[in-house]
Amino acid sequence: MPDSVTQILRSGPVGAKKNIAVLGDGFAEGDQTAYNNKVKELLIDGVFGNDYFYEDMQAFNIFRVNLISVDSGVSQRVYDEKGTPADGSDDTIVSTTLRNTALGYIYSGSWAHCWLENGADTSTRVQDALNTWAPDYDLVLIILNENGFGGCGGGGFQIVTLGSSWEVMAHEFGHGAGGLADEYCQPGTYAGGEPGSVNVTANTDRATLKWGRFVNPATPVPTGINPNPGAGGCTNYNQGTRPAGWDSSQDAGLFEGAQYVTSGKYRPVENCRMRGNSPPYCPVCYTEMKTRHHAYTGRNFLTCHAGDFNGDGKHDLLVHNGNGIMIYRSGGAQLDLVFSTVDRVPGSWQFMPNDRFYIGDFNGDGKDEVVVYNSTDWVMEYLGLLVDDGDNGLKLIARYDDSMPGWQFQKGDRFYVADFDGNGKKDLFVVNGADWAIPYIGMLRSSGSGFTLVQRYDGSMPGWQMRPGDRHYTGDFTGEGREDLWVFNGTEWSIPYLGILRSTGAALAMQKRYDGSMPGWQMRRGDRHYIADFNGDGKKDLYVFNGENWSIAYLGMLASDGRQLAMVKRYDGNAPGWQMRKDDLHFVGDINGDGKEDLFVYNSRNWFREYLGTMVSNGSALACAWRHDWVGEWNLGSVDRFIPCNYEGVAGRRDLFVHNTDWFGMIRATPGLSLQKIYYQWIHNYRHGRNW
């Protein structure tokens, strides 16, 4: 069996990521499966399956190098430690047993000798292996085929045995990847200048403390003082009463004892990963790791989707970046990471930058699932159905490659989520007006585990001649429990047309078509439509807005009686409390939870300020309110995007996710527009303070 390399975490090009090379020593040909399993156990399932590295795995590539040793197990050395195991200066070698291994490491199990040491040409062998198999490495992990405990490292290298834990490896990566200092203590006193690492200080002044932003003003500084200077161990909270609920790894203060001394140096928390291995990184260390690697993740907040992925009635957040996704669970007032994956999910959906996501409850279990479509990143088109994996994540249960019976996928396919047969499972309308000589529309029924084409329309539907410029919407116009298809075309005929096609469950029938005008509304090409039940009678009505084709902006409310639309109210130029302008953007929500769907409205273009407003329906009219420039700490801007949602889990859809490249916010609309939470670059809930 020849030596080889396998990439086991693929996050992106080597020049854009931090690259970890994993080498094994003392693994003979018959040991390679055990080596592979150990790498998976320690690195993939261990380090990258937990807390920080799980969250930021998209910053890293991992290359597993399989080196075939002649002998199984590594060389051994025994020392006479002269009764002073912490002092290696007086040790003598009792015996050395050499084995013929790929890298020549020697294991001693002696703490004073860093547990292990190089053979005569180990450094050369390691460098040759790296140059051959992983020349773009940034960090190196070497695993020895040795059951005894131990590990050693420095300079981005760590060498561990089979007896080491993933927590120890995560600690060592804190050094190599984060430049973090050890926080454990030995008797001694420090009297030098300010240490360079972010997580150790000699400064006791709260005003200039380098991690002061994470310290609650009510926390005493210092928080723990060594009562026996130069002796004892690391101090914990001993300056006053330890508060109830204090978290020893996440509540920051100033604790004496760090970086190999018990006095004169201080650490941020009682017990961080850089002291005790097992706890997660403290706020200071976590933020340093995030800051150093954020650019390598390639992440931003531009592509976000709301969905109730666990069925608790609160909308969660799915964020897509490149070849990875993350799911954050809403607790009603904040978001917490529950799922992070790179490259693919079980069942084999490989995420790509141009994946398009469609959220809905496709199996009727009360939880939202995810349909993903990609038509540009592969040689063929793919459609996948991802469902709950039982562990807060997603798995693929159905995939269609290039086509499905009755429908040939194309680049221009567009999908609309709708329960068109009324069985409680969301289905899909698929539309293509771009890639064929005539437009096509398909009705894809969900079984909960896949999709079946139940009807296809080629060029025309009953009462409607299809055109490439048709715009489509969905909503239950008749109140029969089936979501219907609404179609508008304002550009390809001499007059605009709006058609409402009622779903029978397996086909479409023209319910009503409007040619050029609707009651009280002269249709124009710039009309924008928002399907919403604004009177709460169970039938979807229509908000229609035009700020483009007239000298003033117009907003109409047309109610459905199940057969046709009737104008209930039209606003010419302004609505009560809102001066309408051409670039107003609208989003449907139920702002006061009364079952009548309202509008959020945003304008960042037509005034010297940005305005975010609410338009609340009483069934026949609107009442408006607004904020300008700021909603709490959120500075409204032209790049902001909005997603109506219900992250609080209360009646209605009264909340907004607001996001742009670097910022993400949670806005409540009731009792008035207010900011619930704001995040910068990443989503994390600090016990106190934040990362900017």
Side-chain angles (χ1 to χ4, degrees):
M1 175 186 290
D3 295 346
S4 63
V5 64
T6 303
Q7 187 169 356
I8 58 174
L9 179 61
R10 189 184 306 271
S11 293
V14 293
K17 303 294 176 180
K18 284 288 187 179
N19 303 295
I20 299 175
V22 188
L23 284 66
D25 192 31
F27 293 92
E29 182 171 341
D31 301 323
Q32 294 304 306
T33 298
Y35 167 67
N36 294 346
N37 291 340
K38 199 65 179 180
V39 173
K40 181 177 184 299
E41 173 196 331
L42 290 176
L43 200 55
I44 300 299
D45 298 338
V47 174
F48 282 87
N50 291 275
D51 42 76
Y52 165 73
F53 286 98
Y54 177 67
E55 180 178 342
D56 265 7
M57 67 173 72
Q58 203 165 2
F60 298 89
N61 291 320
I62 302 177
F63 298 87
R64 187 193 69 219
V65 179
N66 288 72
L67 302 175
I68 313 303
S69 293
V70 174
D71 293 333
S72 180
V74 296
S75 299
Q76 304 287 314
R77 178 163 289 162
V78 177
Y79 282 96
D80 179 356
E81 296 178 330
K82 310 297 186 184
T84 56
D87 180 7
S89 63
D90 59 351
D91 293 357
T92 58
I93 297 173
V94 175
S95 66
T96 300
T97 304
L98 297 178
R99 290 190 173 95
N100 187 355
T101 64
L103 301 176
Y105 278 102
I106 303 170
Y107 176 76
S108 68
S110 171
W111 183 88
H113 297 273
C114 206
W115 307 100
L116 52 93
E117 54 201 271
N118 288 1
D121 59 351
T122 294
S123 295
T124 300
R125 294 190 193 188
V126 169
Q127 195 59 58
D128 287 347
L130 291 170
N131 291 342
T132 300
W133 300 108
D136 297 296
Y137 71 90
D138 297 292
L139 301 166
V140 178
L141 169 66
I142 299 172
I143 300 176
L144 306 187
N145 189 8
E146 164 59 48
N147 290 320
F149 178 81
C152 196
F157 282 69
Q158 60 171 302
I159 307 99
V160 300
T161 67
L162 299 177
S164 297
S165 67
W166 72 262
E167 292 94 341
V168 171
M169 292 171 56
H171 170 104
E172 294 299 330
F173 277 128
H175 296 310
L180 303 174
D182 284 319
E183 295 180 15
Y184 51 80
C185 307
Q186 297 170 353
T189 299
Y190 178 75
E194 177 64 10
S197 297
V198 298
N199 61 321
V200 176
T201 187
N203 177 24
T204 59
D205 182 0
R206 180 192 292 271
T208 57
L209 181 61
K210 57 189 174 185
W211 58 75
R213 59 181 163 165
F214 299 118
V215 180
N216 191 310
T219 300
V221 172
T223 320
I225 298 176
N226 189 348
N228 301 299
C234 293
T235 58
N236 291 325
Y237 200 120
N238 63 13
Q239 299 301 293
T241 303
R242 179 189 177 96
W246 182 271
D247 190 305
S248 64
S249 70
Q250 298 305 306
D251 280 310
L254 189 68
F255 297 91
E256 193 167 17
Q259 204 175 23
Y260 324 124
V261 297
T262 54
S263 299
K265 285 185 180 180
Y266 298 81
R267 64 194 191 281
V269 300
E270 290 179 314
N271 194 15
C272 170
R273 171 152 288 146
M274 298 313 295
R275 177 190 174 192
N277 295 335
S278 295
Y281 292 117
C282 71
V284 176
C285 296
Y286 169 86
T287 302
E288 180 68 9
M289 294 290 281
K290 292 289 294 186
T291 301
R292 287 191 175 214
H293 298 111
H294 180 69
Y296 292 100
T297 66
R299 290 181 183 145
N300 55 54
F301 290 123
L302 292 179
T303 307
C304 295
H305 304 272
D308 181 7
F309 300 116
N310 68 340
D312 67 352
K314 296 185 281 288
H315 277 119
D316 310 308
L317 174 69
L318 185 153
V319 183
H320 171 229
N321 278 287
N323 68 339
I325 65 167
M326 305 176 81
I327 295 177
Y328 296 88
R329 182 79 67 234
S330 173
Q334 66 181 37
L335 297 169
D336 294 283
L337 179 70
V338 295
F339 182 64
S340 173
T341 191
V342 173
D343 196 35
R344 65 184 69 236
V345 291
S348 197
W349 181 273
Q350 187 169 348
F351 294 107
M352 295 295 282
N354 291 301
D355 286 349
R356 302 203 308 263
F357 294 78
Y358 304 90
I359 312 299
D361 183 2
F362 293 101
N363 60 15
D365 66 351
K367 295 181 284 192
D368 282 333
E369 288 78 46
V370 180
V371 166
V372 193
Y373 184 67
N374 194 300
S375 62
T376 57
D377 291 317
W378 306 97
V379 296
M380 66 178 71
E381 297 80 17
Y382 291 89
L383 179 75
L385 174 60
L386 282 64
V387 304
D388 179 25
D389 67 356
D391 192 27
N392 292 316
L394 297 172
K395 64 180 180 181
L396 182 80
I397 61 168
R399 195 183 77 191
Y400 303 92
D401 304 357
D402 189 53
S403 66
M404 58 188 304
W407 188 271
Q408 178 69 44
F409 296 135
Q410 289 293 322
K411 181 178 293 188
D413 287 353
R414 295 293 180 267
F415 297 85
Y416 301 86
V417 177
D419 180 9
F420 60 65
D421 58 6
N423 68 351
K425 302 182 182 75
K426 291 291 187 181
D427 310 300
L428 292 171
F429 288 107
V430 55
V431 178
N432 193 306
D435 297 311
W436 305 98
I438 59 173
Y440 291 85
I441 290 181
M443 300 173 68
L444 306 181
R445 175 180 291 152
S446 173
S447 66
S449 58
F451 295 96
T452 304
L453 181 73
V454 297
Q455 187 66 244
R456 194 184 77 192
Y457 295 97
D458 304 357
S460 66
M461 297 181 290
W464 187 270
Q465 184 66 39
M466 292 149 59
R467 285 291 184 266
D470 289 350
R471 301 202 313 254
H472 302 84
Y473 317 93
T474 63
D476 182 6
F477 175 79
T478 63
E480 296 174 334
R482 296 185 293 270
E483 292 182 276
D484 309 307
L485 186 67
W486 305 50
V487 191
F488 176 75
N489 194 303
T491 59
E492 294 175 304
W493 305 97
S494 59
I495 59 173
Y497 290 86
L498 175 69
I500 305 170
L501 291 103
R502 178 174 55 86
S503 173
T504 67
L508 296 171
M510 180 60 74
Q511 178 68 38
K512 185 69 178 179
R513 194 183 77 190
Y514 294 96
D515 303 357
S517 65
M518 298 181 290
W521 187 270
Q522 185 66 40
M523 292 153 60
R524 285 292 184 266
R525 63 184 298 162
D527 288 354
R528 300 204 304 266
H529 305 87
Y530 305 92
I531 313 303
D533 180 9
F534 61 66
N535 57 15
D537 66 353
K539 295 183 282 289
K540 289 293 185 180
D541 310 304
L542 177 66
Y543 290 109
V544 57
F545 175 80
N546 193 306
E548 178 182 336
N549 301 123
W550 307 96
S551 60
I552 60 173
Y554 290 87
L555 176 66
M557 300 172 65
L558 292 97
S560 167
D561 65 4
R563 296 174 291 109
Q564 59 189 0
L565 295 170
M567 179 64 75
V568 172
K569 187 73 176 180
R570 194 184 76 191
Y571 296 98
D572 303 356
N574 65 79
W578 183 270
Q579 183 67 44
M580 289 151 47
R581 285 293 185 265
K582 62 176 294 186
D583 292 314
D584 287 354
L585 300 175
H586 301 84
F587 310 90
V588 175
D590 181 3
I591 291 168
N592 59 1
D594 64 355
K596 303 180 183 73
E597 290 184 292
D598 316 300
L599 292 173
F600 292 97
V601 58
Y602 184 60
N603 194 303
S604 65
R605 295 184 177 182
N606 302 131
W607 307 93
F608 67 93
R609 294 173 165 175
E610 297 84 9
Y611 287 85
L612 177 65
T614 57
M615 297 178 152
V616 177
S617 171
N618 65 7
S620 58
L622 298 173
C624 306
W626 48 265
R627 294 279 190 274
H628 65 76
D629 292 337
W630 296 86
V631 178
E633 291 184 280
W634 187 276
N635 186 192
L636 296 167
S638 61
V639 296
D640 290 346
R641 305 177 184 185
F642 298 89
I643 305 173
C645 61
N646 180 15
Y647 66 72
E648 294 178 88
V650 297
R653 186 180 282 239
R654 71 183 199 181
D655 305 317
L656 288 171
F657 287 147
V658 55
H659 57 107
N660 55 48
T661 300
D662 285 325
W663 296 88
F664 187 90
M666 302 167 71
I667 292 176
R668 293 184 303 181
T670 300
L673 288 167
S674 62
L675 185 70
Q676 177 76 47
K677 202 77 175 179
I678 185 171
Y679 300 99
Y680 174 64
Q681 290 194 332
W682 58 80
I683 292 175
H684 183 75
N685 300 295
Y686 293 87
R687 299 275 288 190
H688 182 79
R690 49 199 182 185
N691 60 303
W692 77 92

